[in-house]
Amino acid sequence: MKKALLFIAFLFPLFLFSQRENILIQEYLNSNQAKLGLAPSDIKGWIVESKATSKSTGINNYYIRQRSNEIEIYGAVSNVWIKNNQVIQIGNRFVKNANQKANAVNPQLSVLQALSLVKTKLEINDSFANTILNATNAKTFILSNVPNGRKIKAKLVYQPKGSQLLLAWHFEIHVPSHNHVWNVRINALDGSIIEQKDKIISCHIAKEEEETHNNFFFYKSGYKQNSALTEVLAGSYRVLPYNIESPNHGPRQLIVSPADALASLLDGMIRMVLQVLMKRLPLAIMCMPLKILLIAILVKVPTEVKALLLIFRIAG
């Protein structure tokens, strides 16, 4: 009994702190409703999706999901920054006039009926009779899957579509063969697929198309064929620009002599020696090859020329 009381006493301040920040968010939404372009009903009934805290900045970042008719709106998640007990920033992604855009409140299809249609349309032929394992409420469910398969998450949501919010069942389905993870919304009224996404990306190539498939060959695309000797000596490279994700997303660019002379080990050593010599010897008494080398470095003659001058200096 004492342990239970201590646990409650520990959680109670955390609960009060969370409630206080929820009140701060609601007060901010009320005060900035017109500025955000939202209706009074749009800023009521939201829920906290998640929270993240930055120790370095002291900012609490709340992710809040909009609801209409107590049903979550898919994708309508705004992030709110709170610092020193005040809202300092909001990224508004709420839907304007959500209640007027909602096409229905009650589904015509049950969650199991909707799942059966999804499996048929996505050709998930496991012949398994799914059941409800857990119901958080009338809108959120955990459904059974094939033996050793991940449980299926299901939720009644509104899916934005054009100027409407379509009542839909949202499913996340891990296919037992592990080649698909479906994220899908199906219309809760007529059973049509509104949106589907496969979290697993795969490339299917027919055997007859293997020779012509647009593969990336690094040895062909990564190197320039038959590069000129002067181009190689000058320190030229074919590289992907910093904003190109991979070789499949854009061409390489030719970069010539990108190195900083001051950062070059050879140039740095030569400069250091010359600085010492310049301090101790007048330029007039320095030998001619060394003066030529000094001028070459100062005017940034290409590296191969400086190297040749250095060779002549040693040979002389």
Side-chain angles (χ1 to χ4, degrees):
M1 183 65 179
K2 289 183 178 179
K3 290 183 178 180
L5 290 174
L6 287 172
F7 183 70
I8 293 172
F10 174 75
L11 290 180
F12 190 67
L14 299 178
F15 174 76
L16 289 179
F17 181 76
S18 177
Q19 289 300 307
R20 184 169 69 250
E21 296 208 331
N22 285 5
I23 292 171
L24 288 175
I25 294 173
Q26 187 61 64
E27 289 177 348
Y28 180 88
L29 292 174
N30 292 341
S31 301
N32 294 273
Q33 172 201 320
K35 181 180 178 181
L36 296 171
L38 299 172
S41 58
D42 295 333
I43 56 175
K44 294 179 180 179
W46 51 267
I47 59 172
V48 176
E49 183 90 346
S50 61
K51 172 189 173 183
T53 301
S54 172
K55 292 182 179 179
S56 61
T57 63
I59 294 174
N60 292 322
N61 193 359
Y62 280 79
Y63 294 89
I64 59 175
R65 182 178 294 278
Q66 185 183 10
R67 296 195 302 172
S68 177
N69 303 312
E70 297 185 350
I71 299 173
E72 296 179 18
I73 301 176
Y74 187 81
V77 178
S78 296
N79 64 300
V80 183
W81 288 8
I82 296 180
K83 185 175 182 178
N84 298 328
N85 291 323
Q86 66 179 25
V87 176
I88 61 173
Q89 179 68 28
I90 183 170
N92 177 34
R93 297 176 184 84
F94 278 8
V95 177
K96 183 180 180 179
N97 297 322
N99 285 354
Q100 285 71 35
K101 293 179 179 179
N103 69 332
V105 177
N106 299 309
Q108 297 297 314
L109 298 172
S110 70
V111 64
L112 292 178
Q113 289 173 332
L115 177 59
S116 178
L117 287 173
V118 167
K119 291 171 66 175
T120 299
K121 293 176 184 294
L122 297 181
E123 299 180 354
I124 304 175
N125 303 314
D126 55 24
S127 68
F128 180 77
N130 304 93
T131 58
I132 297 175
L133 298 177
N134 184 36
T136 305
N137 49 49
K139 304 178 184 70
T140 307
F141 302 89
I142 299 295
L143 310 178
S144 64
N145 203 347
V146 296
N148 301 320
R150 289 193 183 184
K151 296 178 179 64
I152 298 171
K153 297 178 181 179
K155 182 181 290 186
L156 189 66
V157 300
Y158 280 119
Q159 169 70 45
K161 188 75 172 179
S163 60
Q164 283 189 304
L165 292 176
L166 303 181
L167 190 64
W169 285 107
H170 167 75
F171 295 100
E172 185 172 302
I173 307 171
H174 292 252
V175 177
S177 57
H178 305 294
N179 58 342
H180 298 288
V181 177
W182 291 109
N183 187 302
V184 58
R185 261 81 57 207
I186 182 172
N187 195 308
L189 304 182
D190 61 19
S192 60
I193 297 289
I194 301 174
E195 186 175 68
Q196 67 182 58
K197 291 183 179 179
D198 189 356
K199 292 185 177 181
I200 295 180
I201 299 175
S202 57
C203 185
H204 301 283
I205 311 168
K207 189 169 183 64
E208 60 273 13
E209 297 177 354
E210 287 182 357
E211 294 297 326
T212 59
H213 188 64
N214 186 25
N215 289 315
F216 171 74
F217 296 98
F218 184 80
Y219 69 92
K220 290 182 179 179
S221 301
Y223 298 93
K224 180 181 178 182
Q225 305 299 313
N226 302 321
S227 299
L229 179 60
T230 54
E231 185 178 305
V232 175
L233 290 174
S236 60
Y237 308 90
R238 292 193 175 274
V239 300
L240 290 174
Y242 76 95
N243 59 335
I244 299 298
E245 181 179 348
S246 75
N248 287 329
H249 291 83
R252 282 175 163 74
Q253 292 183 2
L254 181 64
I255 307 297
V256 180
S257 299
D260 184 347
L262 293 176
S264 169
L265 179 60
L266 178 60
D267 282 352
M269 291 175 65
I270 294 173
R271 284 172 180 271
M272 182 177 65
V273 172
L274 288 173
Q275 286 174 2
V276 173
L277 290 175
M278 288 292 291
K279 288 181 181 179
R280 301 195 177 188
L281 295 174
L283 187 61
I285 65 173
M286 294 175 65
C287 60
M288 186 58 67
L290 191 57
K291 286 194 289 185
I292 295 174
L293 179 59
L294 173 60
I295 295 170
I297 292 173
L298 294 177
V299 299
K300 295 187 177 180
V301 171
T303 303
E304 61 268 28
V305 177
K306 288 185 279 186
L308 288 173
L309 289 171
L310 181 60
I311 293 171
F312 293 149
R313 170 72 185 92
I314 295 172

